[in-house]
Amino acid sequence: VNTHGQLGDGTTTHRNTPAMIPGLANIVAMSAGTRHSLALKADGTVWAWGFNDRGQLGDGSVMTRLSPVQVYGFERGVAVKAGFDHSLAMRADGVVWTWGNNVTGQAGNGTQGNHHLTAILSSLR
């Protein structure tokens, strides 16, 4: 299913065979959420695409993206994980960052609330 562009190929076409994601190279890790996907490049940047109603793509918007966009302000990444409507990434220094839906405390920063207008970037130490 590619209803929300979660395949990242620039379309909403459902595919039964693999399709290349244009412009995405040097990937060292990936994670697929229910309606969005994340990729970690070798340079430590994180890229996201798909449904974005809660800011889970981390680009500062709530616009669905059919192609990868860079997560704003995140660098030196070493791991990524896509949840249902939120995303997580760990930096090389071990600090974990979260963004997207936080209705049930997914951000892990002691807060709750639907923070979908901008990305939630919270460090855990």
Side-chain angles (χ1 to χ4, degrees), residues 24-107:
L24 206 55
N26 300 316
I27 302 303
V28 296
M30 294 187 72
S31 183
T34 304
R35 302 178 293 179
H36 75 293
S37 303
L38 300 173
L40 174 65
K41 285 190 171 187
D43 66 4
T45 59
V46 176
W47 296 74
W49 59 94
F51 202 53
N52 193 29
D53 68 329
R54 308 287 184 206
Q56 60 265 44
L57 301 187
D59 68 344
S61 80
V62 290
M63 293 176 50
T64 293
R65 305 291 186 172
L66 304 181
S67 299
V69 293
Q70 187 172 353
V71 173
Y72 178 76
F74 186 86
E75 53 190 33
R76 298 186 305 128
V78 296
V80 292
K81 178 66 177 151
F84 182 74
D85 283 335
H86 68 290
S87 302
L88 301 98
M90 185 171 67
R91 289 190 327 201
D93 61 4
V95 175
V96 175
W97 293 65
T98 65
W99 58 93
N101 191 10
N102 189 37
V103 171
T104 57
Q106 296 95 313

